[in-house]
Each structure stands twice: as C-alpha cells, then as structure tokens.
Amino acid sequence: TQSVGEVARVKNLNRIQFGRNEVEAWYFSPYPVEYAHLPVLYLCEFCLSYYPSQFMLGRHLRSCLLKHPPGNEVYRNRDPGSDEEISFFEIDGKRQITWCRNLSLLSKCFLDHKTLYYDVQPFLYYVMTSNDSAGCHLVGYFSKEKESAEGYNLACIMTLPQHQRKGYGKLLIEFSYELSKREMKIGSPEKPLSDLGLLSYKAYWAEIIVELLGDCPDDISIEEIANRTSITQNDIMWTCQQMGLFKYYKGQHVLCVTDQIMEQHRRAKAKQRKRIRPERIVWKPPV
Ligand code: ACO
Ligand code: ZN
C-alpha cells in the first residue's frame, strides 16, 4: 500500500544504535516526535523499545529479560560452511502488538514506499535471527498477511543495513516460498517492490528457475515450474524474459538455458550461499 503523505515526509531520524551497531536511517519513520531529530536513537535489540540516551537504554537493559523475538521458534539450523546458527520465529501481530509495532517503526527507517502498519494484527511476522550465547539477534524479517485476497505470500521484507548483501535477503525470500509450498499455494510478494526488493527477488527467481531447468533436462512447462517452486507463472515468465530464456523454436516459445547461463549458475552455486533446509521447518499452515 502506498501512502503519498509518508513518501513526501522528510527523514526525521539520524542514527540508530542497535545491539553493537550504529546505522544511518534512510527514510522517515513515525517514531514519536520527542524521539525524532536526536543525534542517535537507542534501541534494545531484543524488545525493540527505544530510548533517547545510552543511559536510559542501559537502565532498560538491566531489567529487560527478552533474549529472542517473542514468538514460536519455527526453524533452527547451523550452517556447515560458516558455523552460523540461524533461527526463524513466528510472531502473531495480534498477540505481540507492541513488539510488532516497534519492528514496523524500525523497518520503516529503511523502507520508503510502505505505509507503517499500526495495524499489525492482520499479519504474522517471520523474524530471522543469528544466534550466539548472548541471544538470538535480529538480522531481518518479513511480514505476511494471515489472509491475502491477492495471493501475496509476503507483505514487507527487510534485512538490517549492517547485515545486507550477505545472502540473508534470499534466505528470507526462500523461507517465504517454503511456507507457501507447505500451504500448497503459489504466491508473490506485495507490490510495489522497492528497487532493492526487485533486485533481490529477481536474483532469487533466476537462481531457482535455472537450478530447476538444470536438474530436469526434459521439457518443463511454466505451470510445472510454478507448482514445484510456488513462484507464480507471471513472476516466472517475467524472470525468463529478463534473462532472455525464451527462444522461438518450431513455431513455439520454448525455455532454453544457454551454456553461459548454466556456467554462471554453477559458479554461483560453488560459492555456497546460505540455504534454507526445508526439513528443519517446524510449521504447519494455520487452520
Ligand atoms: N545492489 C545491487 N544488487 C543488490 C543489492 C544492491 N544494493 N542488494 C541486493 N541485491 C541483489 C543481488 O543480486 C543480491 O545477490 P548477490 O549479493 O549474490 O549479488 C541479491 O539481491 C540478494 O541479496 P541478499 O544479500 O540476499 O539480500 P539482502 O540481505 O541485502 O536483503 C533486501 C535484500 C531485504 C531487499 C534489503 O536490501 C533491504 O532490507 N532493503 C530495504 C528494505 C526494502 O527495500 N525491502 C523490500 C521492499 S519490497 C517488499 O517489501 C515487498
Ligand atoms: Zn528490551
């Protein structure tokens, strides 16, 4: 959903201290006015509450007991390559109104085209953390409508700036499609996408499609790809067009992966990006 009012508003925050990191806010976020325009806004990285000074945050930290997002852990996996342990927590906007509003306020700092959802109740939040002995540290999240008339499987996605370009975005996207597979649904992210959102989806879709085409040399229809990946036929067609995979052959449009694309794919795969292990997801579609 687009809000003309908010797009026009000027950035009101400067820097945000979050855990061990301090990051620059990118866009306007409707934190209460008394917190805006401070040199630094101090956040508790677990309950996401905000304070105007290091002193006040410190006082809060002595009493804050939260060490992970306040929901059910639905996934945990240790990446064999990096030894990093990643978890996903599912948080119901109806049960954790304050926490989800705080998450929305934080993520709005990096999203310019979404309205801030004070209305968090219709959403579930899938929050990804990187874990260590101090707790489960928020890296990124996506929200998802409990019911989407438009067939969206993701409403908003964000990786904290200090963690961007490390493959977490793809991991979040992959998780959203794994949930759709379990729901036996095909889904797409809510439009419009931001530039970074589109780049990330395009990279994910391309990877999954080429991977599938590489695995099954026989003809495979767009419909079949959609059924296997939970990516919509529209998104598949768009991605294939972008990659120039359609060839006109004997009076028909067929999908054709060139050796060059396959080679690129193999090289990318050799780098071993972080992957979701679907068998580790402990989740059933809500009834
Ligand atoms: N420049 C160029 N390509 C990029 C960039 C960038 N800054 N960021 C991501 N990409 C592309 C690349 O192809 C990248 O793969 P590569 O690094 O192997 O080349 C791919 O997207 C995925 O990158 P990840 O590291 O997996 O993604 P990241 O953790 O950085 O998160 C995200 C992507 C969530 C979109 C992040 O940029 C973000 O939070 N942006 C601000 C909020 C936002 O715009 N969210 C999307 C709104 S749309 C919606 O919510 C439906
Ligand atoms: Zn706290």
Side-chain angles (χ1 to χ4, degrees), residues 26-27 107 110-114 141 154-161 163-173 189-201 203-204 271:
W26 299 356
Y27 303 111
S107 71
F110 312 108
L111 276 159
D112 66 340
H113 68 297
K114 295 272 182 186
Y141 85 103
L154 178 147
C156 245
I157 179 170
M158 190 266 305
T159 302
L160 288 169
H163 300 301
Q164 286 176 11
R165 287 313 290 274
K166 295 178 194 158
Y168 292 117
K170 272 192 184 171
L171 210 53
L172 289 163
I173 295 171
E190 188 180 303
K191 312 298 173 310
L193 294 171
S194 66
D195 294 351
L196 289 172
L198 186 61
L199 279 170
S200 306
Y201 266 96
Y204 173 79
K271 279 194 232 153

Side-chain angles (χ1 to χ4, degrees), residues 16 48 68 82 118 157 159 161 165 194 252 266 278:
I16 298 168
L48 309 182
H68 59 74
S82 64
Y118 275 109
I157 179 170
T159 302
R165 287 313 290 274
S194 66
Q252 283 193 59
R266 265 186 227 109

Side-chain angles (χ1 to χ4, degrees), residues 170-171 173-175 177-178 181 200-216 220 224-232 236 239-240 243 245 257 261-262 265 268-269 273-276:
K170 272 192 184 171
L171 210 53
I173 295 171
E174 189 169 30
F175 198 85
Y177 282 106
E178 287 303 329
K181 287 181 194 171
S200 306
Y201 266 96
K202 190 174 153 185
Y204 173 79
W205 290 331
E207 181 190 315
I208 296 299
I209 293 167
V210 172
E211 186 175 73
L212 192 59
L213 292 175
D215 285 347
C216 50
I220 180 167
E224 178 73 28
I225 300 178
N227 290 337
R228 290 211 210 167
T229 60
S230 282
I231 302 170
T232 63
I236 296 167
T239 309
C240 291
M243 286 195 294
L245 295 189
V257 185
I261 290 181
M262 218 54 226
H265 177 68
K269 196 150 190 179
R273 77 161 171 97
K274 305 173 175 74
R275 294 292 299 244
I276 294 294

Side-chain angles (χ1 to χ4, degrees), residues 2-286:
Q2 197 138 18
S3 154
V4 177
E6 275 187 11
V7 172
R9 259 185 256 175
V10 208
K11 196 184 94 168
N12 55 338
L13 297 155
N14 296 301
R15 300 182 68 76
I16 298 168
Q17 193 200 292
F18 189 87
R20 264 171 297 193
N21 298 96
E22 207 179 285
V23 292
E24 187 84 26
W26 299 356
Y27 303 111
F28 169 85
S29 180
Y31 280 101
V33 280
E34 57 272 33
Y35 294 89
H37 304 294
L38 295 167
V40 183
L41 186 64
Y42 298 85
L43 261 66
C44 169
E45 65 159 324
F46 294 115
C47 71
L48 309 182
S49 51
Y50 39 90
Y51 299 91
S53 70
Q54 184 79 63
F55 175 77
M56 287 172 83
L57 173 67
R59 206 166 53 184
H60 163 79
L61 290 179
R62 283 197 289 280
S63 66
C64 183
L65 298 172
L66 217 54
K67 288 287 169 258
H68 59 74
N72 294 331
E73 192 178 12
V74 291
Y75 179 86
R76 190 191 294 175
N77 183 46
R78 192 172 285 282
D79 187 68
S82 64
D83 207 38
E84 182 186 22
E85 188 181 80
I86 295 272
S87 289
F88 274 82
F89 291 82
E90 181 187 62
I91 293 126
D92 186 337
K94 204 166 180 169
R95 294 204 189 163
Q96 297 291 344
I97 296 183
T98 305
W99 195 90
C100 293
R101 280 190 184 153
N102 285 344
L103 179 65
S104 302
L105 283 169
L106 172 61
S107 71
K108 180 65 194 70
C109 296
F110 312 108
L111 276 159
D112 66 340
H113 68 297
K114 295 272 182 186
T115 25
L116 182 93
Y117 294 110
Y118 275 109
D119 191 19
V120 293
Q121 306 198 19
F123 295 89
L124 290 168
Y125 294 81
Y126 293 92
V127 180
M128 185 172 68
T129 62
S130 177
N131 310 338
D132 63 23
S133 57
C136 303
H137 308 274
L138 189 137
V139 170
Y141 85 103
F142 66 88
S143 57
K144 175 174 175 156
E145 278 173 291
K146 293 172 188 171
E147 298 284 343
S148 169
E150 298 89 346
Y152 295 140
N153 65 355
L154 178 147
C156 245
I157 179 170
M158 190 266 305
T159 302
L160 288 169
Q162 64 267 35
H163 300 301
Q164 286 176 11
R165 287 313 290 274
K166 295 178 194 158
Y168 292 117
K170 272 192 184 171
L171 210 53
L172 289 163
I173 295 171
E174 189 169 30
F175 198 85
S176 73
Y177 282 106
E178 287 303 329
L179 296 186
S180 292
K181 287 181 194 171
R182 298 221 168 175
E183 294 174 305
M184 317 267 270
K185 283 185 185 161
I186 288 172
S188 187
E190 188 180 303
K191 312 298 173 310
L193 294 171
S194 66
D195 294 351
L196 289 172
L198 186 61
L199 279 170
S200 306
Y201 266 96
K202 190 174 153 185
Y204 173 79
W205 290 331
E207 181 190 315
I208 296 299
I209 293 167
V210 172
E211 186 175 73
L212 192 59
L213 292 175
D215 285 347
C216 50
D218 301 336
D219 277 356
I220 180 167
S221 66
I222 303 279
E223 191 184 359
E224 178 73 28
I225 300 178
N227 290 337
R228 290 211 210 167
T229 60
S230 282
I231 302 170
T232 63
Q233 295 195 34
N234 268 344
D235 293 338
I236 296 167
M237 305 251 279
W238 180 82
T239 309
C240 291
Q241 255 152 22
Q242 293 282 313
M243 286 195 294
L245 295 189
F246 284 115
K247 293 283 172 310
Y248 199 64
Y249 179 71
K250 289 191 180 161
Q252 283 193 59
H253 287 282
V254 292
L255 280 181
C256 167
V257 185
T258 59
D259 291 345
Q260 191 197 347
I261 290 181
M262 218 54 226
E263 186 47 40
Q264 262 174 18
H265 177 68
R266 265 186 227 109
R267 247 178 286 142
K269 196 150 190 179
K271 279 194 232 153
Q272 294 204 335
R273 77 161 171 97
K274 305 173 175 74
R275 294 292 299 244
I276 294 294
R277 289 178 57 190
E279 72 276 14
R280 299 249 163 166
I281 301 176
V282 185
W283 185 85
K284 277 204 201 99

